[in-house]
């Protein structure tokens, strides 16, 4: 059965009027037809853009540079630029995409946006490729699970008008144990599907004939090599990696632009099919001329529709070349199993620690490849940024760790600095378009949950004098000594410290002036704090000193100011040796 693929547009000088007429003709000719079938028929000239496909050189293209539909979009687009892509089911028939096919493209876009957001894959690009590869799965002829029925197969890539690709799958995907064929709605050749195949519908199978599986595989393939498809150059490279033909690129680009202007969903099986194709002639062997002699021949010119393909690109003036023009080698996309896809949090919890202490939590990331599986041996650089003085163990601000077999990389432990505040830890991996994760972290001041005097001695001073005994306290946290805890000392009028006191005992600042609040106090290594000297003014009475720690612990200490008691001299006691005068009778 002839493969229903329209003849490729060949390179050659054409006037604007002729080009416009060709587009109009294509727009008007939308007759239903069967889609890619097996057998001898196929597409038009595979060398339209100068590819050496007859020799079997596919440059790693996803489709093996297999044939494709070359129908162009209508001249009138479904809506104006920038409009909604969810229009009602009205307008040009070409703007309608079968429901399951459209859902598969959009699902692939969402999935890739999660695993490789920097690729910025648009579903309209998948729709454009699906259009030229299979006419949107033959107009949406898929079952309830999204599987094409019957399956979609391209012609045998036997070198007769197409690339020569000998069997790579034993016929498992394409039913051909002699030559490979492009398979499914997105037309992957078996060797490419073996590397990039996906199970997007969760049925446990990677089926190239399932539109969900095929659309996700195409999306990941297009995103390979760190491409950003929002960039025109990267998008062109991605399309050319699918089929290395400039005519293919132009055709896909035209549909991409068309679908960006608007489309709508239609029922499965009701899509518009591409036009009936022509049958290609066998490609001449490399190194031969365009004919047996140099004499003019009534045969069609290779540069005109219907002509036999020449073995290489045409020279100016229309003459065929006897040898293909050498092409620079095109890098093949890295297989998805080795392609860095995404960097994710591997379960890192809240990063909080007290000043000077070690963080209990460690920063951990997970690297995945292009198909979402863990990726080993990826270098991940972790960097601490902020003014808290926090460093990784060993005193480093930056460390690099490679992911293990499970795809995870864990940074060394963090040692909190002495300054309370917030800082960040940044994880960076990948080249070209690095993936970055940023973690917020906090250093809290050292804390105490209790503070008390170390003795119970009364603190008394006379007016205008200083207290003879120093005040010493000890701070603890969970019954352990709390070193380096900030303590505030304030003279207050009430035990809750609501009202500060402006009379009574006071401290002295560096200039010797009275102050009644100190905020620069810190406990020593044993959790103890000896307060500076305290002085009394001329006001007698009982006063309160309140000490408060970070963490909310507090203690209130009484200070008494009173004048010393006056003492009167005692009369001397009589001398015991004195003999009292005799009493006369």
């Amino acid at each position: 059965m002839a493969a229903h693929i329209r003849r490729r547009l060949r390179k050659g000088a054409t006037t604007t009027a002729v080009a416009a007429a060709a587009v109009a003709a294509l727009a008007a000719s939308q007759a239903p037809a069967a889609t890619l079938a097996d057998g001898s028929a196929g597409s038009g000239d595979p060398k339209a853009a100068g590819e050496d496909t007859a020799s079997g050189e596919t440059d790693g293209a996803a489709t093996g540079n297999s044939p494709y539909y070359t129908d162009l979009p209508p001249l009138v687009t479904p809506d104006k630029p920038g409009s909604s892509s969810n229009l009602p089911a009205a307008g040009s028939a070409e703007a309608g995409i079968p429901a399951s096919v459209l859902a598969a493209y959009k699902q692939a876009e969402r999935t890739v946006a999660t695993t490789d957001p920097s690729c910025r894959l648009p579903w309209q690009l998948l729709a454009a490729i699906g259009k030229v590869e299979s006419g949107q799965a033959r107009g949406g002829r898929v079952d309830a699970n999204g599987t094409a029925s019957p399956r979609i197969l391209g012609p045998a890539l036997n070198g007769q008008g197409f690339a020569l690709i000998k069997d790579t799958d034993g016929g498992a995907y394409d039913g051909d144990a002699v030559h490979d064929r492009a398979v499914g709605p997105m037309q992957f050749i078996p060797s490419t599907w073996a590397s990039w195949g996906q199970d997007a519908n969760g049925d446990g199978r990677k089926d190239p004939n399932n539109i969900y599986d095929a659309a996700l595989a195409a999306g990941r393939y297009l995103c390979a090599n760190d491409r950003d498809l929002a960039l025109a150059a990267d998008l062109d490279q991605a399309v050319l990696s699918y089929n290395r033909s400039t005519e293919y690129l132009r055709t896909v680009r035209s549909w991409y632009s068309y679908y960006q202007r608007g489309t709508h969903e239609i029922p499965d099986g009701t899509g518009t099919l591409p036009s009936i194709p022509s049958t290609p002639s066998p490609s001449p062997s490399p190194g031969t001329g365009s004919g047996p002699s140099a004499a003019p021949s009534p045969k069609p010119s290779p540069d005109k529709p219907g002509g036999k393909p020449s073995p290489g690109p045409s020279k100016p003036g229309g003459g065929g070349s006897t040898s293909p023009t050498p092409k620079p080698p095109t890098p093949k996309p890295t297989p998805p199993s080795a392609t860095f896809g995404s960097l994710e949090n591997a379960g890192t919890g809240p990063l909080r620690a007290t000043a000077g202490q070690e963080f209990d939590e460690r920063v951990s990331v997970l690297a995945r490849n292009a198909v979402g599986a863990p990726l080993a041996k990826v270098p991940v650089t972790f960097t601490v940024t902020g003014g808290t003085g926090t460093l990784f163990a060993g005193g480093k601000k930056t460390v690099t760790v490679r992911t293990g077999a499970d795809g995870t990389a864990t940074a060394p432990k963090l040692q909190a600095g002495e300054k309370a505040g917030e800082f960040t830890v940044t994880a960076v991996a990948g080249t070209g378009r690095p993936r970055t994760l940023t973690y917020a972290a906090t250093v809290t001041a050292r804390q105490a949950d209790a503070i008390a005097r170390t003795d119970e001695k009364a603190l008394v001073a006379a007016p205008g004098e200083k207290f003879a005994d120093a005040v010493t306290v000890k701070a603890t946290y969970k019954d352990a000594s709390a070193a380096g805890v900030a303590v505030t000392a304030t003279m207050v009028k009430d035990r809750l410290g609501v009202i500060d006191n402006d009379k009574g005992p006071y401290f002295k600042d560096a200039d010797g002036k009275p102050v009644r609040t100190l905020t620069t106090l810190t406990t020593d290594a044993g959790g103890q704090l000896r307060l500076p000297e305290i002085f009394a003014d001329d006001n007698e009475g009982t006063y309160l000193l309140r000490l408060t720690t970070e963490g909310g612990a507090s203690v209130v200490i009484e200070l008494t100011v009173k004048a010393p008691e006056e003492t009167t001299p005692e009369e001397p006691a009589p001398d015991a040796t004195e003999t009292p005068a005799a009493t006369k009778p």
Side-chain angles (χ1 to χ4, degrees):
M1 177 176 173
H4 291 176
I5 308 170
R6 193 165 178 80
R7 180 170 53 243
R8 299 190 185 195
L9 298 177
R10 291 172 171 76
K11 282 185 177 180
T14 336
T15 65
T16 303
V18 172
V23 173
L26 286 171
S29 176
Q30 299 293 344
T35 185
L36 298 174
D38 73 288
S40 59
S43 77
D45 181 10
K47 292 176 182 263
E51 298 91 348
D52 183 16
T53 52
S55 65
E57 179 56 55
T58 66
D59 296 324
T63 64
N65 294 330
S66 58
Y68 57 89
Y69 292 109
T70 59
D71 297 57
L72 296 177
L75 292 177
V76 179
T77 56
D79 200 8
K80 62 183 179 181
S83 64
S84 169
S85 60
N86 294 300
L87 301 175
S92 170
E94 283 293 0
I97 299 179
S100 293
V101 179
L102 182 60
Y105 296 151
K106 292 185 175 181
Q107 177 179 295
E109 179 191 63
R110 292 192 299 270
T111 301
V112 173
T114 300
T115 59
D116 189 3
S118 55
C119 174
R120 296 191 282 184
L121 169 74
W123 66 261
Q124 292 91 341
L125 179 59
L126 296 175
I129 291 175
K131 177 66 176 179
V132 302
E133 292 294 347
S134 68
Q136 308 297 20
R138 293 179 306 202
R141 287 168 174 76
V142 296
D143 63 19
N145 295 320
T147 302
S149 179
R151 62 183 176 175
I152 302 172
L153 293 175
L157 300 176
N158 56 13
Q160 300 301 307
F162 316 120
L164 172 61
I165 305 179
K166 295 182 179 179
D167 176 66
T168 61
D169 66 332
Y173 293 118
D174 57 11
D176 191 332
V178 180
H179 297 99
D180 272 349
R181 299 168 181 248
V183 182
M186 304 305 280
Q187 288 289 279
F188 281 95
I189 57 173
S191 59
T192 306
W193 183 261
S195 295
W196 292 87
Q198 303 287 302
D199 175 19
N201 65 349
D203 64 357
R205 299 176 60 227
K206 297 178 181 180
D207 184 359
N209 272 289
N210 182 273
I211 185 57
Y212 292 94
D213 294 357
L216 181 55
R220 295 200 188 283
Y221 185 90
L222 294 167
C223 287
N225 297 338
D226 283 336
R227 295 190 185 102
D228 179 355
L229 300 182
L231 303 177
D234 280 11
L235 188 143
D236 288 350
Q237 290 177 3
V239 175
L240 287 171
S241 76
Y242 216 86
N243 189 315
R244 303 198 183 282
S245 161
T246 52
E247 291 296 335
Y248 181 86
L249 173 61
R250 281 194 286 270
T251 305
V252 169
R253 272 285 197 174
S254 67
W255 283 107
Y256 176 52
S257 177
Y258 181 79
Y259 287 138
Q260 280 187 311
R261 289 181 171 86
T263 186
H264 56 266
E265 177 185 300
I266 60 175
D268 288 347
T270 63
T272 302
L273 298 180
S275 302
I276 299 173
S278 63
T279 302
S281 302
S283 297
S285 301
T288 63
S290 60
S293 68
S297 169
K299 294 182 179 180
S301 168
D303 292 323
K304 296 180 181 179
K308 187 183 296 184
S310 62
S314 298
K315 294 181 180 180
S321 172
T322 57
S323 61
T325 303
K327 294 185 298 179
T330 305
K332 297 180 181 180
T334 305
S337 59
T339 300
F340 183 33
S342 63
L343 191 66
E344 305 169 12
N345 185 352
T348 305
L351 296 168
R352 297 180 63 89
T354 302
Q357 304 299 310
E358 196 175 67
F359 281 74
D360 292 332
E361 194 75 18
R362 296 170 66 180
V363 178
S364 185
V365 299
L366 170 63
R368 295 186 184 276
N369 61 21
V371 295
L375 186 60
K377 298 181 179 181
V378 175
V380 182
T381 299
F382 299 92
T383 303
V384 175
T385 304
T388 64
T390 301
L391 299 170
F392 290 113
K396 297 180 179 179
K397 293 187 69 172
T398 300
V399 295
T400 299
V401 181
R402 287 184 175 271
T403 58
D406 61 352
T408 62
T410 303
K413 285 196 171 185
L414 289 163
Q415 181 71 34
E418 290 298 333
K419 185 176 181 181
E422 296 183 348
F423 69 97
T424 59
V425 179
T426 303
V428 180
T431 58
R433 291 184 292 108
R435 277 60 161 183
T436 301
L437 287 179
T438 300
Y439 299 81
T442 304
V443 175
T444 58
R446 295 174 186 262
Q447 297 183 0
D449 55 17
I451 186 171
R453 286 188 65 190
T454 58
D455 61 59
E456 297 296 330
K457 193 173 183 179
L459 300 168
V460 181
E465 301 293 331
K466 71 177 180 180
F467 288 80
D469 297 308
V471 177
T472 303
V473 294
K474 182 175 182 178
T476 57
Y477 182 71
K478 295 182 179 179
D479 298 326
S481 298
V485 175
V487 179
T488 299
T490 306
M491 300 298 176
V492 295
K493 288 185 177 181
D494 61 293
R495 287 186 173 272
L496 294 178
V498 176
I499 304 174
D500 292 354
N501 206 337
D502 57 357
K503 295 181 179 179
Y506 60 88
F507 303 103
K508 288 184 179 180
D509 63 13
D511 297 327
K513 296 180 179 180
V515 293
R516 289 184 168 84
T517 298
L518 294 178
T519 58
T520 58
L521 306 174
T522 306
T523 60
D524 62 18
Q528 291 194 4
L529 170 64
R530 182 186 176 94
L531 268 63
E533 290 181 324
I534 303 174
F535 300 86
D537 61 10
D538 294 334
N539 298 290
E540 295 189 58
T542 299
Y543 298 90
L544 301 177
L545 168 62
R546 190 169 192 265
L547 303 180
T548 306
T549 71
E550 286 288 345
S554 65
V555 61
V556 177
I557 301 170
E558 289 187 356
L559 302 172
T560 302
V561 179
K562 69 176 181 177
E565 294 182 0
E566 293 185 4
T567 57
T568 56
E570 296 182 1
E571 294 184 2
D575 191 350
T577 61
E578 244 181 67
T579 303
T583 313
K584 293 182 180 180

